[in-house]
Amino acid sequence: MRILTGIQPSGRLHWGNYFGAMKSMFDLQAKGEDMFMFIANFHAMTTVRDGKALREATREVALDYLACGLDPAKTTVYRQSDVPEVQELAWYLSCLTPMGLLERCHSYKDKMAHGFEATHGLFAYPVLMAADILIMNADLVPVGKDQKQHLEVTRDLAQKFNNAYGEIFKLPDAYIPESVATIPGTDGQKMSKSYHNTIELFDPSVKKKVMGIVTDSTPMEEPKEPEGNSIYELYKLFATPEEVAEMAAAFRAGGYGYGQAKKALLSAYHRLFDPFRERREELSKDVDALEDILSTGAAKARCAAAIAMEKVRTAVGL
Ligand code: ADP
Ligand code: TRP
């Protein structure tokens, strides 16, 4: 089974990305699935207008994934722009894409509501995403809930293409594990770079951010209900079930303050991420090694793309 996912290099990755997206990729990788993971730098151009920033963010995302567990011997990892055939396929799909289908996309409407300029790139975003997926013949696409509609568009476009030109594309399924919770940010809302409430994976000011997580003003002595409390919800991600049960009991008993809970969270974070941080430092010293990993991944990805494109070009009459 081929599993493919992409991540936009449009900012530093945060705890929400790790527990909401990266970790399930690493779990699938451990099961020995046929994995493809790419850095969606073409997509990021819909919001990033600074070449240097885009290039750097692309490298940072690659380093983050490799440091946290992506194994290039098991997962084909590449930059989207190293497979230019996706742009070609996106055009063929565009010619079959009804405007209404894209007009209904929530992510586009959401961007408009947030004051983004209505560009053709933002509007056509789901078509390029469909090309990413279909060109690699993916069966399963792990994504967050926010991307579910884009997978529906992908299936629609695959079906339209097949109806017009014959059975070329598989209809991929979204993989949205129910167990993946919405990770809260430092203000209690969903952690997201758009809300400026993130804690980055290797945040130099992690201590300050954790200590600054918003809490209510229940006095330290009083018993507190842990469920729904951001610190407790975040602690669940990092700690063992025994440690989680201990914190819950301490909150319910009273005499346990949010400050103590924040310190416990911080040390659980360090336990998991310090080894990743060390690996990341090693990886970041060797620019050529990273480039090698990405170009080896690109070569494999282009082979897969070539297989699809040969059939596609013949079918469309080129
Ligand atoms: P952001 O909201 O910071 O812009 P993205 O939309 O780029 O993050 O996130 C990429 C993927 O990371 C999402 O599709 C989702 O799977 C995951 N993700 C991001 N934030 C969270 C969160 N707070 N909780 C769970 N998953 C998240
Ligand atoms: N749109 C996805 C996101 O923002 C990133 C992405 C681009 C993607 N192409 C993809 C994800 C193909 C999965 C498959 O999260």
Side-chain angles (χ1 to χ4, degrees), residues 4-10 17 21 36 38-44 78 80 107 111 125-126 128-134 138 140-144 146-147 150-151 154 193:
L4 169 137
T5 196
I7 178 107
Q8 287 195 65
S10 49
N17 297 134
F36 276 51
F38 70 96
I39 304 162
N41 52 355
F42 283 149
H43 277 109
Y78 59 100
Q80 185 181 30
S107 69
K111 283 273 189 310
Y125 184 112
L128 181 59
M129 182 159 164
D132 293 327
I133 297 168
L134 299 177
L140 211 57
V141 184
V143 281
D146 57 320
Q147 298 294 315
H150 289 163
L151 258 296
T154 302
K193 60 181 172 291

Side-chain angles (χ1 to χ4, degrees), residues 7 14 16-17 20-21 143-144 146-147 180-183 190-194:
I7 178 107
H14 53 72
N17 297 134
V143 281
D146 57 320
Q147 298 294 315
V180 174
T182 298
I183 319 301
K190 178 191 173 212
M191 186 178 287
S192 166
K193 60 181 172 291
S194 334

Side-chain angles (χ1 to χ4, degrees), residues 6 14 84 87 165 184 188 228-229 232 238 252-253 318:
H14 53 72
Q87 294 286 5
Y165 297 112
N229 174 300
Y232 179 69
F238 291 100
R252 291 195 175 108
L318 298 174

Side-chain angles (χ1 to χ4, degrees), residues 195-239:
Y195 303 148
H196 306 289
N197 63 356
T198 61
I199 307 178
E200 292 162 13
L201 299 186
F202 303 100
D203 209 319
S205 51
V206 60
K207 186 169 178 196
K208 199 166 149 231
K209 294 220 178 131
V210 168
M211 290 303 171
I213 294 172
V214 175
T215 58
D216 60 37
S217 51
T218 317
M220 146 115 165
E221 313 76 56
E222 272 183 40
K224 301 170 193 64
E225 174 49 46
E227 292 298 339
N229 174 300
S230 304
I231 307 166
Y232 179 69
E233 295 304 326
L234 290 170
Y235 189 64
K236 278 184 189 168
L237 303 167
F238 291 100

